[in-house]
Amino acid sequence: MRQINTIRYWLLIGLVFAAPVSFWPSISLPVLNFPSFRIGLYQVIAALFVISCTSLLAKRPSTPSHKQWLPRLFMILLIPTIVIGLVTTNSLSRTMLYCGSLIALIILGVCGYAVWHHLTKSQKDTLFRTLLWSGLVFGSLALVQLIIASFDPTALGTLCSGCSDQVFGFPRINLFSAEPQFFANSLLPSLFAALFWKHKSRLATLSLTITSLAIGLTFSRGAFMAIIVSLVLCTILYGFKHQPVRHLFVRSALVGAGIVAAFGLLIISASVRYRDTPYIAYNTTVSMIDHLTLGHLRIAQKTVSAHVESATRNTKSFVPEGFVQASSNDRINAAELALDAWNDSPRTILFGVGMGNLGTYVQHHSTPQAPSNLTVYIWYILVLAELGITGLIGLILPVAYTLRRIITRPLTPRLTFVFGTTTALMTQLWSFGSYINVMYCYVWIGIFVAIVGPSRCFTPNTAPV
């Protein structure tokens, strides 16, 4: 029994540390137009972790039955929604695959929830210290990828297809994740662990700096917005709890400095890649401002005269694009199609069109030219369209429970970390629609519910902490 407990603990450490390794290394298995379906290192660790928790989940919970309303309500909301989706779908095999994936992710979160109560105080402290090392290690590797990409346009084949320097002049760093926004999202727990570390620590300060730098290198607006929203909400929480905010402001300033420094490195990268282009540093800066403000703040880029252009026509030239309106329109159009499908009937409003069935449903009911694997870039709208109001409420119920419990309890550094990370992750979900690419989120949600919930939900086999 002690051996399985040790194995389970180290697998959890692996899931926490290796969150940025959610895409590479892996083998693509894009069955049934499900391009995110991959089998890789992180998925194998997650599967082994779930297997190691089998005996633990089989134990009878020690929480009184009248306090088990959360899992009961969760199942009451999700089970009928999934069943109705399977019955009414136009693409049964694809819906079954998606539903199976979601159930697997929920089980992963339940395992995180259960294991937390079996950890000793020392193991819990090590778990959060692992986050500091994760941010430091993968943040440093992100800087290495930027240096390589400044001279090699593919960064030795590690950049994603949309991460090259063809839009902004500099690469957007994705490291081992599918896209820059997924990489930035995976670093948010490390960022907030370092931000709210319980005592002064050089490791925490260094991790906070490097992690902030790495998030800045992704140039992900969603991540920047998530950090800003979360820090604002943390400040409000501090005020509500009458806690001093000086430490929060100082550490937040360090986060801002790291992101601004990353912007400087991106400008340098563009200047190296297109060193023969006149005004490349200035135009890259203007392009970044245009992109970050969604095109609302436009500053004219500098151009060269016809005479100078003729003299330099044989040199490599580049004009940064800034805010890409076409990309924004694609996101808006996909969201509108999804909302139209959701609003099609009382059934779809309550239970959605079925997981994985959105593209096919849109083809049959409104837009024949829509792709069968229609991609929605806002997670909340994706869930609303596929699982309806009941499914969306079910999936955000544990998050709402976590935040409510924190608000009603005295603040501690650990609870502040939970609050900051939760609000940041939920804000980031406005920027992309994906279930499988953010597996680590489900682990953390389970752990967070365990942290704020009753102290005895599964009979622990270790000493109380």
Side-chain angles (χ1 to χ4, degrees), residues 84-96 98-99 341 347-348 352-365 371-374 382 385-386 435:
I84 291 174
L86 287 169
V87 172
T88 60
T89 181
N90 298 313
S91 178
L92 179 60
S93 56
R94 182 175 163 86
T95 300
M96 290 179 62
Y98 269 70
C99 289
R347 175 183 63 80
T348 57
V353 301
M355 292 194 67
N357 187 48
L358 179 58
T360 304
Y361 190 93
V362 170
Q363 285 179 338
H364 281 74
H365 290 80
S372 59
N373 59 344
L374 177 65
L382 173 65
E386 294 194 334
Y435 297 103

PDB file of all heavy atoms in Angstrom, residues 84-96 98-99 341 347-348 352-365 371-374 382 385-386 435:
ATOM      1  N   ILE A  84     -28.733  12.837 -23.286  1.00  0.00           N
ATOM      2  CA  ILE A  84     -29.584  13.460 -24.313  1.00  0.00           C
ATOM      3  C   ILE A  84     -28.756  13.811 -25.540  1.00  0.00           C
ATOM      4  O   ILE A  84     -29.207  13.651 -26.684  1.00  0.00           O
ATOM      5  CB  ILE A  84     -30.284  14.702 -23.734  1.00  0.00           C
ATOM      6  CG1 ILE A  84     -31.315  14.277 -22.698  1.00  0.00           C
ATOM      7  CG2 ILE A  84     -30.951  15.514 -24.844  1.00  0.00           C
ATOM      8  CD1 ILE A  84     -31.963  15.418 -21.959  1.00  0.00           C
ATOM      9  N   GLY A  85     -27.525  14.266 -25.329  1.00  0.00           N
ATOM     10  CA  GLY A  85     -26.641  14.567 -26.453  1.00  0.00           C
ATOM     11  C   GLY A  85     -26.342  13.335 -27.279  1.00  0.00           C
ATOM     12  O   GLY A  85     -26.314  13.389 -28.519  1.00  0.00           O
ATOM     13  N   LEU A  86     -26.140  12.185 -26.617  1.00  0.00           N
ATOM     14  CA  LEU A  86     -25.859  10.941 -27.332  1.00  0.00           C
ATOM     15  C   LEU A  86     -27.077  10.469 -28.117  1.00  0.00           C
ATOM     16  O   LEU A  86     -26.955   9.923 -29.219  1.00  0.00           O
ATOM     17  CB  LEU A  86     -25.427   9.865 -26.329  1.00  0.00           C
ATOM     18  CG  LEU A  86     -24.023  10.011 -25.732  1.00  0.00           C
ATOM     19  CD1 LEU A  86     -23.829   9.041 -24.578  1.00  0.00           C
ATOM     20  CD2 LEU A  86     -22.957   9.776 -26.800  1.00  0.00           C
ATOM     21  N   VAL A  87     -28.260  10.690 -27.568  1.00  0.00           N
ATOM     22  CA  VAL A  87     -29.479  10.224 -28.225  1.00  0.00           C
ATOM     23  C   VAL A  87     -29.830  11.070 -29.440  1.00  0.00           C
ATOM     24  O   VAL A  87     -30.322  10.562 -30.457  1.00  0.00           O
ATOM     25  CB  VAL A  87     -30.644  10.220 -27.213  1.00  0.00           C
ATOM     26  CG1 VAL A  87     -31.978   9.934 -27.915  1.00  0.00           C
ATOM     27  CG2 VAL A  87     -30.395   9.192 -26.115  1.00  0.00           C
ATOM     28  N   THR A  88     -29.581  12.362 -29.367  1.00  0.00           N
ATOM     29  CA  THR A  88     -30.036  13.287 -30.420  1.00  0.00           C
ATOM     30  C   THR A  88     -28.951  13.671 -31.415  1.00  0.00           C
ATOM     31  O   THR A  88     -29.230  14.374 -32.385  1.00  0.00           O
ATOM     32  CB  THR A  88     -30.575  14.576 -29.780  1.00  0.00           C
ATOM     33  OG1 THR A  88     -29.528  15.213 -29.004  1.00  0.00           O
ATOM     34  CG2 THR A  88     -31.752  14.275 -28.864  1.00  0.00           C
ATOM     35  N   THR A  89     -27.731  13.241 -31.244  1.00  0.00           N
ATOM     36  CA  THR A  89     -26.632  13.688 -32.101  1.00  0.00           C
ATOM     37  C   THR A  89     -26.779  13.203 -33.541  1.00  0.00           C
ATOM     38  O   THR A  89     -27.369  12.143 -33.804  1.00  0.00           O
ATOM     39  CB  THR A  89     -25.287  13.206 -31.532  1.00  0.00           C
ATOM     40  OG1 THR A  89     -24.215  13.676 -32.371  1.00  0.00           O
ATOM     41  CG2 THR A  89     -25.234  11.690 -31.476  1.00  0.00           C
ATOM     42  N   ASN A  90     -26.205  13.979 -34.452  1.00  0.00           N
ATOM     43  CA  ASN A  90     -26.124  13.573 -35.858  1.00  0.00           C
ATOM     44  C   ASN A  90     -24.857  12.781 -36.155  1.00  0.00           C
ATOM     45  O   ASN A  90     -24.712  12.221 -37.232  1.00  0.00           O
ATOM     46  CB  ASN A  90     -26.149  14.806 -36.767  1.00  0.00           C
ATOM     47  CG  ASN A  90     -27.438  15.590 -36.633  1.00  0.00           C
ATOM     48  OD1 ASN A  90     -28.513  15.014 -36.655  1.00  0.00           O
ATOM     49  ND2 ASN A  90     -27.338  16.899 -36.486  1.00  0.00           N
ATOM     50  N   SER A  91     -23.935  12.778 -35.214  1.00  0.00           N
ATOM     51  CA  SER A  91     -22.656  12.093 -35.394  1.00  0.00           C
ATOM     52  C   SER A  91     -22.347  11.311 -34.118  1.00  0.00           C
ATOM     53  O   SER A  91     -21.621  11.770 -33.248  1.00  0.00           O
ATOM     54  CB  SER A  91     -21.542  13.108 -35.697  1.00  0.00           C
ATOM     55  OG  SER A  91     -20.293  12.482 -35.840  1.00  0.00           O
ATOM     56  N   LEU A  92     -22.943  10.123 -34.004  1.00  0.00           N
ATOM     57  CA  LEU A  92     -22.884   9.368 -32.759  1.00  0.00           C
ATOM     58  C   LEU A  92     -21.454   9.008 -32.362  1.00  0.00           C
ATOM     59  O   LEU A  92     -21.063   9.183 -31.206  1.00  0.00           O
ATOM     60  CB  LEU A  92     -23.727   8.094 -32.882  1.00  0.00           C
ATOM     61  CG  LEU A  92     -23.749   7.186 -31.642  1.00  0.00           C
ATOM     62  CD1 LEU A  92     -24.306   7.943 -30.445  1.00  0.00           C
ATOM     63  CD2 LEU A  92     -24.561   5.933 -31.914  1.00  0.00           C
ATOM     64  N   SER A  93     -20.666   8.518 -33.311  1.00  0.00           N
ATOM     65  CA  SER A  93     -19.313   8.084 -32.968  1.00  0.00           C
ATOM     66  C   SER A  93     -18.465   9.258 -32.478  1.00  0.00           C
ATOM     67  O   SER A  93     -17.710   9.137 -31.507  1.00  0.00           O
ATOM     68  CB  SER A  93     -18.652   7.430 -34.186  1.00  0.00           C
ATOM     69  OG  SER A  93     -18.664   8.311 -35.301  1.00  0.00           O
ATOM     70  N   ARG A  94     -18.603  10.406 -33.131  1.00  0.00           N
ATOM     71  CA  ARG A  94     -17.841  11.592 -32.715  1.00  0.00           C
ATOM     72  C   ARG A  94     -18.315  12.080 -31.341  1.00  0.00           C
ATOM     73  O   ARG A  94     -17.495  12.446 -30.494  1.00  0.00           O
ATOM     74  CB  ARG A  94     -18.004  12.684 -33.764  1.00  0.00           C
ATOM     75  CG  ARG A  94     -17.223  13.956 -33.490  1.00  0.00           C
ATOM     76  CD  ARG A  94     -17.369  14.905 -34.674  1.00  0.00           C
ATOM     77  NE  ARG A  94     -16.989  16.263 -34.344  1.00  0.00           N
ATOM     78  CZ  ARG A  94     -15.746  16.736 -34.393  1.00  0.00           C
ATOM     79  NH1 ARG A  94     -14.773  15.935 -34.764  1.00  0.00           N
ATOM     80  NH2 ARG A  94     -15.489  17.984 -34.080  1.00  0.00           N
ATOM     81  N   THR A  95     -19.602  12.068 -31.095  1.00  0.00           N
ATOM     82  CA  THR A  95     -20.129  12.485 -29.792  1.00  0.00           C
ATOM     83  C   THR A  95     -19.678  11.539 -28.688  1.00  0.00           C
ATOM     84  O   THR A  95     -19.327  11.975 -27.582  1.00  0.00           O
ATOM     85  CB  THR A  95     -21.662  12.556 -29.833  1.00  0.00           C
ATOM     86  OG1 THR A  95     -22.058  13.513 -30.822  1.00  0.00           O
ATOM     87  CG2 THR A  95     -22.229  12.981 -28.491  1.00  0.00           C
ATOM     88  N   MET A  96     -19.655  10.243 -28.985  1.00  0.00           N
ATOM     89  CA  MET A  96     -19.183   9.269 -27.995  1.00  0.00           C
ATOM     90  C   MET A  96     -17.716   9.515 -27.647  1.00  0.00           C
ATOM     91  O   MET A  96     -17.324   9.447 -26.478  1.00  0.00           O
ATOM     92  CB  MET A  96     -19.371   7.844 -28.536  1.00  0.00           C
ATOM     93  CG  MET A  96     -20.818   7.406 -28.634  1.00  0.00           C
ATOM     94  SD  MET A  96     -20.993   5.719 -29.319  1.00  0.00           S
ATOM     95  CE  MET A  96     -20.130   4.763 -28.082  1.00  0.00           C
ATOM     96  N   TYR A  98     -16.064  12.409 -27.838  1.00  0.00           N
ATOM     97  CA  TYR A  98     -15.973  13.643 -27.061  1.00  0.00           C
ATOM     98  C   TYR A  98     -16.483  13.435 -25.638  1.00  0.00           C
ATOM     99  O   TYR A  98     -15.868  13.916 -24.660  1.00  0.00           O
ATOM    100  CB  TYR A  98     -16.768  14.756 -27.749  1.00  0.00           C
ATOM    101  CG  TYR A  98     -15.959  15.583 -28.711  1.00  0.00           C
ATOM    102  CD1 TYR A  98     -15.516  15.043 -29.915  1.00  0.00           C
ATOM    103  CD2 TYR A  98     -15.632  16.902 -28.434  1.00  0.00           C
ATOM    104  CE1 TYR A  98     -14.787  15.790 -30.806  1.00  0.00           C
ATOM    105  CE2 TYR A  98     -14.892  17.665 -29.325  1.00  0.00           C
ATOM    106  CZ  TYR A  98     -14.472  17.109 -30.510  1.00  0.00           C
ATOM    107  OH  TYR A  98     -13.728  17.852 -31.383  1.00  0.00           O
ATOM    108  N   CYS A  99     -17.608  12.740 -25.499  1.00  0.00           N
ATOM    109  CA  CYS A  99     -18.154  12.492 -24.169  1.00  0.00           C
ATOM    110  C   CYS A  99     -17.197  11.639 -23.340  1.00  0.00           C
ATOM    111  O   CYS A  99     -16.992  11.895 -22.140  1.00  0.00           O
ATOM    112  CB  CYS A  99     -19.514  11.800 -24.276  1.00  0.00           C
ATOM    113  SG  CYS A  99     -20.837  12.853 -24.903  1.00  0.00           S
ATOM    114  N   ALA A 341     -26.946  27.897 -33.074  1.00  0.00           N
ATOM    115  CA  ALA A 341     -27.279  26.484 -32.889  1.00  0.00           C
ATOM    116  C   ALA A 341     -27.843  26.242 -31.494  1.00  0.00           C
ATOM    117  O   ALA A 341     -28.824  25.502 -31.323  1.00  0.00           O
ATOM    118  CB  ALA A 341     -26.040  25.619 -33.128  1.00  0.00           C
ATOM    119  N   ARG A 347     -34.837  22.379 -26.313  1.00  0.00           N
ATOM    120  CA  ARG A 347     -33.925  21.279 -25.980  1.00  0.00           C
ATOM    121  C   ARG A 347     -32.473  21.705 -26.089  1.00  0.00           C
ATOM    122  O   ARG A 347     -31.654  21.407 -25.195  1.00  0.00           O
ATOM    123  CB  ARG A 347     -34.181  20.080 -26.905  1.00  0.00           C
ATOM    124  CG  ARG A 347     -33.184  18.933 -26.687  1.00  0.00           C
ATOM    125  CD  ARG A 347     -33.411  17.804 -27.656  1.00  0.00           C
ATOM    126  NE  ARG A 347     -33.198  18.210 -29.043  1.00  0.00           N
ATOM    127  CZ  ARG A 347     -31.990  18.317 -29.615  1.00  0.00           C
ATOM    128  NH1 ARG A 347     -30.890  18.067 -28.909  1.00  0.00           N
ATOM    129  NH2 ARG A 347     -31.892  18.655 -30.882  1.00  0.00           N
ATOM    130  N   THR A 348     -32.108  22.374 -27.177  1.00  0.00           N
ATOM    131  CA  THR A 348     -30.717  22.787 -27.341  1.00  0.00           C
ATOM    132  C   THR A 348     -30.338  23.854 -26.323  1.00  0.00           C
ATOM    133  O   THR A 348     -29.185  23.914 -25.886  1.00  0.00           O
ATOM    134  CB  THR A 348     -30.470  23.306 -28.769  1.00  0.00           C
ATOM    135  OG1 THR A 348     -31.367  24.398 -29.048  1.00  0.00           O
ATOM    136  CG2 THR A 348     -30.689  22.212 -29.790  1.00  0.00           C
ATOM    137  N   GLY A 352     -28.069  21.503 -25.128  1.00  0.00           N
ATOM    138  CA  GLY A 352     -27.109  21.644 -26.202  1.00  0.00           C
ATOM    139  C   GLY A 352     -27.372  20.722 -27.373  1.00  0.00           C
ATOM    140  O   GLY A 352     -28.346  19.958 -27.395  1.00  0.00           O
ATOM    141  N   VAL A 353     -26.472  20.767 -28.345  1.00  0.00           N
ATOM    142  CA  VAL A 353     -26.628  19.964 -29.555  1.00  0.00           C
ATOM    143  C   VAL A 353     -25.867  18.647 -29.473  1.00  0.00           C
ATOM    144  O   VAL A 353     -25.935  17.827 -30.378  1.00  0.00           O
ATOM    145  CB  VAL A 353     -26.142  20.756 -30.795  1.00  0.00           C
ATOM    146  CG1 VAL A 353     -26.923  22.043 -30.945  1.00  0.00           C
ATOM    147  CG2 VAL A 353     -24.638  21.037 -30.729  1.00  0.00           C
ATOM    148  N   GLY A 354     -25.133  18.445 -28.385  1.00  0.00           N
ATOM    149  CA  GLY A 354     -24.346  17.229 -28.235  1.00  0.00           C
ATOM    150  C   GLY A 354     -22.872  17.495 -28.448  1.00  0.00           C
ATOM    151  O   GLY A 354     -22.486  18.219 -29.365  1.00  0.00           O
ATOM    152  N   MET A 355     -22.028  16.914 -27.627  1.00  0.00           N
ATOM    153  CA  MET A 355     -20.583  17.137 -27.727  1.00  0.00           C
ATOM    154  C   MET A 355     -20.047  16.608 -29.053  1.00  0.00           C
ATOM    155  O   MET A 355     -20.394  15.502 -29.481  1.00  0.00           O
ATOM    156  CB  MET A 355     -19.857  16.456 -26.569  1.00  0.00           C
ATOM    157  CG  MET A 355     -20.127  17.070 -25.213  1.00  0.00           C
ATOM    158  SD  MET A 355     -18.955  16.492 -23.974  1.00  0.00           S
ATOM    159  CE  MET A 355     -17.434  17.232 -24.569  1.00  0.00           C
ATOM    160  N   GLY A 356     -19.230  17.412 -29.706  1.00  0.00           N
ATOM    161  CA  GLY A 356     -18.645  17.017 -30.979  1.00  0.00           C
ATOM    162  C   GLY A 356     -19.603  17.094 -32.142  1.00  0.00           C
ATOM    163  O   GLY A 356     -19.235  16.798 -33.277  1.00  0.00           O
ATOM    164  N   ASN A 357     -20.838  17.494 -31.885  1.00  0.00           N
ATOM    165  CA  ASN A 357     -21.882  17.500 -32.906  1.00  0.00           C
ATOM    166  C   ASN A 357     -22.157  18.900 -33.453  1.00  0.00           C
ATOM    167  O   ASN A 357     -23.002  19.071 -34.333  1.00  0.00           O
ATOM    168  CB  ASN A 357     -23.179  16.913 -32.322  1.00  0.00           C
ATOM    169  CG  ASN A 357     -24.264  16.721 -33.364  1.00  0.00           C
ATOM    170  OD1 ASN A 357     -24.027  16.169 -34.438  1.00  0.00           O
ATOM    171  ND2 ASN A 357     -25.466  17.203 -33.063  1.00  0.00           N
ATOM    172  N   LEU A 358     -21.446  19.907 -32.947  1.00  0.00           N
ATOM    173  CA  LEU A 358     -21.773  21.288 -33.299  1.00  0.00           C
ATOM    174  C   LEU A 358     -21.646  21.548 -34.792  1.00  0.00           C
ATOM    175  O   LEU A 358     -22.561  22.107 -35.413  1.00  0.00           O
ATOM    176  CB  LEU A 358     -20.872  22.249 -32.517  1.00  0.00           C
ATOM    177  CG  LEU A 358     -21.081  23.739 -32.799  1.00  0.00           C
ATOM    178  CD1 LEU A 358     -22.506  24.155 -32.511  1.00  0.00           C
ATOM    179  CD2 LEU A 358     -20.096  24.572 -31.990  1.00  0.00           C
ATOM    180  N   GLY A 359     -20.511  21.165 -35.390  1.00  0.00           N
ATOM    181  CA  GLY A 359     -20.310  21.418 -36.815  1.00  0.00           C
ATOM    182  C   GLY A 359     -21.363  20.744 -37.672  1.00  0.00           C
ATOM    183  O   GLY A 359     -21.927  21.358 -38.590  1.00  0.00           O
ATOM    184  N   THR A 360     -21.648  19.476 -37.376  1.00  0.00           N
ATOM    185  CA  THR A 360     -22.652  18.739 -38.145  1.00  0.00           C
ATOM    186  C   THR A 360     -24.041  19.333 -37.948  1.00  0.00           C
ATOM    187  O   THR A 360     -24.832  19.432 -38.898  1.00  0.00           O
ATOM    188  CB  THR A 360     -22.658  17.264 -37.711  1.00  0.00           C
ATOM    189  OG1 THR A 360     -21.344  16.725 -37.850  1.00  0.00           O
ATOM    190  CG2 THR A 360     -23.602  16.452 -38.566  1.00  0.00           C
ATOM    191  N   TYR A 361     -24.347  19.757 -36.745  1.00  0.00           N
ATOM    192  CA  TYR A 361     -25.651  20.371 -36.462  1.00  0.00           C
ATOM    193  C   TYR A 361     -25.819  21.667 -37.249  1.00  0.00           C
ATOM    194  O   TYR A 361     -26.878  21.920 -37.835  1.00  0.00           O
ATOM    195  CB  TYR A 361     -25.779  20.640 -34.962  1.00  0.00           C
ATOM    196  CG  TYR A 361     -27.174  21.044 -34.530  1.00  0.00           C
ATOM    197  CD1 TYR A 361     -28.076  20.092 -34.094  1.00  0.00           C
ATOM    198  CD2 TYR A 361     -27.584  22.379 -34.564  1.00  0.00           C
ATOM    199  CE1 TYR A 361     -29.363  20.442 -33.694  1.00  0.00           C
ATOM    200  CE2 TYR A 361     -28.863  22.743 -34.173  1.00  0.00           C
ATOM    201  CZ  TYR A 361     -29.748  21.778 -33.733  1.00  0.00           C
ATOM    202  OH  TYR A 361     -31.023  22.134 -33.350  1.00  0.00           O
ATOM    203  N   VAL A 362     -24.778  22.478 -37.275  1.00  0.00           N
ATOM    204  CA  VAL A 362     -24.834  23.734 -38.029  1.00  0.00           C
ATOM    205  C   VAL A 362     -25.009  23.452 -39.514  1.00  0.00           C
ATOM    206  O   VAL A 362     -25.773  24.143 -40.208  1.00  0.00           O
ATOM    207  CB  VAL A 362     -23.567  24.574 -37.763  1.00  0.00           C
ATOM    208  CG1 VAL A 362     -23.487  25.759 -38.723  1.00  0.00           C
ATOM    209  CG2 VAL A 362     -23.539  25.066 -36.323  1.00  0.00           C
ATOM    210  N   GLN A 363     -24.328  22.434 -40.017  1.00  0.00           N
ATOM    211  CA  GLN A 363     -24.468  22.072 -41.433  1.00  0.00           C
ATOM    212  C   GLN A 363     -25.906  21.693 -41.767  1.00  0.00           C
ATOM    213  O   GLN A 363     -26.436  22.081 -42.815  1.00  0.00           O
ATOM    214  CB  GLN A 363     -23.544  20.896 -41.758  1.00  0.00           C
ATOM    215  CG  GLN A 363     -22.068  21.251 -41.860  1.00  0.00           C
ATOM    216  CD  GLN A 363     -21.215  20.035 -42.163  1.00  0.00           C
ATOM    217  OE1 GLN A 363     -21.613  18.896 -41.906  1.00  0.00           O
ATOM    218  NE2 GLN A 363     -20.035  20.268 -42.718  1.00  0.00           N
ATOM    219  N   HIS A 364     -26.563  20.965 -40.899  1.00  0.00           N
ATOM    220  CA  HIS A 364     -27.915  20.473 -41.170  1.00  0.00           C
ATOM    221  C   HIS A 364     -28.995  21.527 -40.974  1.00  0.00           C
ATOM    222  O   HIS A 364     -30.057  21.452 -41.588  1.00  0.00           O
ATOM    223  CB  HIS A 364     -28.221  19.264 -40.269  1.00  0.00           C
ATOM    224  CG  HIS A 364     -27.616  17.985 -40.750  1.00  0.00           C
ATOM    225  ND1 HIS A 364     -26.275  17.705 -40.643  1.00  0.00           N
ATOM    226  CD2 HIS A 364     -28.171  16.900 -41.357  1.00  0.00           C
ATOM    227  CE1 HIS A 364     -26.019  16.503 -41.137  1.00  0.00           C
ATOM    228  NE2 HIS A 364     -27.162  15.990 -41.576  1.00  0.00           N
ATOM    229  N   HIS A 365     -28.742  22.518 -40.107  1.00  0.00           N
ATOM    230  CA  HIS A 365     -29.819  23.418 -39.713  1.00  0.00           C
ATOM    231  C   HIS A 365     -29.667  24.855 -40.190  1.00  0.00           C
ATOM    232  O   HIS A 365     -30.660  25.575 -40.227  1.00  0.00           O
ATOM    233  CB  HIS A 365     -29.954  23.415 -38.184  1.00  0.00           C
ATOM    234  CG  HIS A 365     -30.480  22.150 -37.622  1.00  0.00           C
ATOM    235  ND1 HIS A 365     -29.681  21.044 -37.430  1.00  0.00           N
ATOM    236  CD2 HIS A 365     -31.732  21.783 -37.213  1.00  0.00           C
ATOM    237  CE1 HIS A 365     -30.406  20.067 -36.922  1.00  0.00           C
ATOM    238  NE2 HIS A 365     -31.657  20.478 -36.785  1.00  0.00           N
ATOM    239  N   PRO A 371     -17.702  23.832 -41.536  1.00  0.00           N
ATOM    240  CA  PRO A 371     -16.930  22.590 -41.388  1.00  0.00           C
ATOM    241  C   PRO A 371     -17.549  21.685 -40.336  1.00  0.00           C
ATOM    242  O   PRO A 371     -18.149  22.148 -39.360  1.00  0.00           O
ATOM    243  CB  PRO A 371     -15.544  23.088 -40.945  1.00  0.00           C
ATOM    244  CG  PRO A 371     -15.807  24.413 -40.301  1.00  0.00           C
ATOM    245  CD  PRO A 371     -16.962  25.012 -41.049  1.00  0.00           C
ATOM    246  N   SER A 372     -17.405  20.384 -40.535  1.00  0.00           N
ATOM    247  CA  SER A 372     -17.984  19.436 -39.579  1.00  0.00           C
ATOM    248  C   SER A 372     -17.283  19.495 -38.224  1.00  0.00           C
ATOM    249  O   SER A 372     -17.863  19.140 -37.201  1.00  0.00           O
ATOM    250  CB  SER A 372     -17.899  18.008 -40.140  1.00  0.00           C
ATOM    251  OG  SER A 372     -16.549  17.656 -40.402  1.00  0.00           O
ATOM    252  N   ASN A 373     -16.016  19.932 -38.219  1.00  0.00           N
ATOM    253  CA  ASN A 373     -15.280  20.086 -36.960  1.00  0.00           C
ATOM    254  C   ASN A 373     -15.171  21.569 -36.608  1.00  0.00           C
ATOM    255  O   ASN A 373     -14.090  22.073 -36.293  1.00  0.00           O
ATOM    256  CB  ASN A 373     -13.894  19.445 -37.053  1.00  0.00           C
ATOM    257  CG  ASN A 373     -13.050  20.057 -38.161  1.00  0.00           C
ATOM    258  OD1 ASN A 373     -13.561  20.738 -39.049  1.00  0.00           O
ATOM    259  ND2 ASN A 373     -11.751  19.820 -38.109  1.00  0.00           N
ATOM    260  N   LEU A 374     -16.295  22.271 -36.660  1.00  0.00           N
ATOM    261  CA  LEU A 374     -16.337  23.705 -36.393  1.00  0.00           C
ATOM    262  C   LEU A 374     -15.635  24.029 -35.080  1.00  0.00           C
ATOM    263  O   LEU A 374     -15.925  23.451 -34.037  1.00  0.00           O
ATOM    264  CB  LEU A 374     -17.797  24.179 -36.330  1.00  0.00           C
ATOM    265  CG  LEU A 374     -18.029  25.651 -35.990  1.00  0.00           C
ATOM    266  CD1 LEU A 374     -17.471  26.551 -37.085  1.00  0.00           C
ATOM    267  CD2 LEU A 374     -19.523  25.916 -35.788  1.00  0.00           C
ATOM    268  N   LEU A 382     -18.568  27.373 -26.503  1.00  0.00           N
ATOM    269  CA  LEU A 382     -18.472  25.989 -26.975  1.00  0.00           C
ATOM    270  C   LEU A 382     -19.277  25.056 -26.073  1.00  0.00           C
ATOM    271  O   LEU A 382     -20.065  24.246 -26.552  1.00  0.00           O
ATOM    272  CB  LEU A 382     -17.003  25.558 -27.007  1.00  0.00           C
ATOM    273  CG  LEU A 382     -16.738  24.082 -27.318  1.00  0.00           C
ATOM    274  CD1 LEU A 382     -17.173  23.738 -28.728  1.00  0.00           C
ATOM    275  CD2 LEU A 382     -15.266  23.735 -27.108  1.00  0.00           C
ATOM    276  N   ALA A 385     -23.070  25.704 -26.341  1.00  0.00           N
ATOM    277  CA  ALA A 385     -23.654  25.172 -27.572  1.00  0.00           C
ATOM    278  C   ALA A 385     -23.754  23.652 -27.536  1.00  0.00           C
ATOM    279  O   ALA A 385     -24.744  23.076 -28.006  1.00  0.00           O
ATOM    280  CB  ALA A 385     -22.831  25.621 -28.781  1.00  0.00           C
ATOM    281  N   GLU A 386     -22.755  22.978 -26.988  1.00  0.00           N
ATOM    282  CA  GLU A 386     -22.729  21.518 -27.039  1.00  0.00           C
ATOM    283  C   GLU A 386     -23.407  20.851 -25.851  1.00  0.00           C
ATOM    284  O   GLU A 386     -23.936  19.746 -25.975  1.00  0.00           O
ATOM    285  CB  GLU A 386     -21.284  21.031 -27.149  1.00  0.00           C
ATOM    286  CG  GLU A 386     -20.605  21.420 -28.454  1.00  0.00           C
ATOM    287  CD  GLU A 386     -19.314  20.671 -28.702  1.00  0.00           C
ATOM    288  OE1 GLU A 386     -18.675  20.223 -27.717  1.00  0.00           O
ATOM    289  OE2 GLU A 386     -18.946  20.508 -29.872  1.00  0.00           O
ATOM    290  N   TYR A 435     -11.054  21.212 -24.760  1.00  0.00           N
ATOM    291  CA  TYR A 435     -11.200  20.359 -23.596  1.00  0.00           C
ATOM    292  C   TYR A 435      -9.865  19.679 -23.275  1.00  0.00           C
ATOM    293  O   TYR A 435      -9.354  19.779 -22.170  1.00  0.00           O
ATOM    294  CB  TYR A 435     -12.253  19.272 -23.863  1.00  0.00           C
ATOM    295  CG  TYR A 435     -13.646  19.776 -24.121  1.00  0.00           C
ATOM    296  CD1 TYR A 435     -14.164  19.811 -25.419  1.00  0.00           C
ATOM    297  CD2 TYR A 435     -14.468  20.198 -23.085  1.00  0.00           C
ATOM    298  CE1 TYR A 435     -15.452  20.258 -25.665  1.00  0.00           C
ATOM    299  CE2 TYR A 435     -15.762  20.647 -23.319  1.00  0.00           C
ATOM    300  CZ  TYR A 435     -16.245  20.677 -24.613  1.00  0.00           C
ATOM    301  OH  TYR A 435     -17.520  21.129 -24.856  1.00  0.00           O
TER     302      TYR A 435
END
